[in-house]
Amino acid sequence: MKEFTPPGPKCMLAIEKLDELGPMIVRDVAKLVPGANNNVLSHSLLRAVDMGYLTVERGNRRVDNCNVFTVVPNWREVHQARLDLYKKWRGVNSVFSMGQMQA
């Protein structure tokens, strides 16, 4: 189920900023996103990498989390396809809905 959840608004704003300004590390992106926490944003951006929105060049973790994030050229198409898939998702989220599906 987690695969179908679209990125949150702060993550989407971070992706927009990366698209506009080019590759950056988390600390620099967090400065551009109001109310963003470096650790939470880093986790969100790594999740966006798994979803196909970004690529990451892993850096040295001891030097201020220097993973460099870059936007995939067709990220808007990937986002639209994921949104369409999210809207179609009719999966089971509880045992009660599982019972309704069999009825």
Side-chain angles (χ1 to χ4, degrees), residues 54-99:
L54 304 172
T55 60
V56 64
E57 182 181 329
R58 299 276 181 175
N60 186 354
R61 285 188 67 141
R62 295 176 189 247
V63 185
D64 202 22
N65 193 12
C66 288
N67 292 337
V68 178
F69 292 93
T70 307
V71 176
V72 173
N74 66 339
W75 76 271
R76 292 183 193 278
E77 290 84 16
V78 171
H79 180 62
Q80 189 59 48
R82 285 200 169 269
L83 281 180
D84 294 342
L85 188 60
Y86 180 71
K87 290 175 186 173
K88 290 178 188 175
W89 174 244
R90 303 289 296 175
V92 177
N93 60 358
S94 72
V95 293
F96 300 108
S97 47
M98 190 187 305

Side-chain angles (χ1 to χ4, degrees), residues 31-68:
K31 291 177 186 175
L32 302 171
V33 178
N37 177 340
N38 284 0
N39 293 334
V40 174
L41 188 60
S42 176
H43 178 73
S44 296
L45 292 178
L46 286 172
R47 192 168 153 256
V49 168
D50 292 338
M51 296 173 83
Y53 293 80
L54 304 172
T55 60
V56 64
E57 182 181 329
R58 299 276 181 175
N60 186 354
R61 285 188 67 141
R62 295 176 189 247
V63 185
D64 202 22
N65 193 12
C66 288
N67 292 337
V68 178

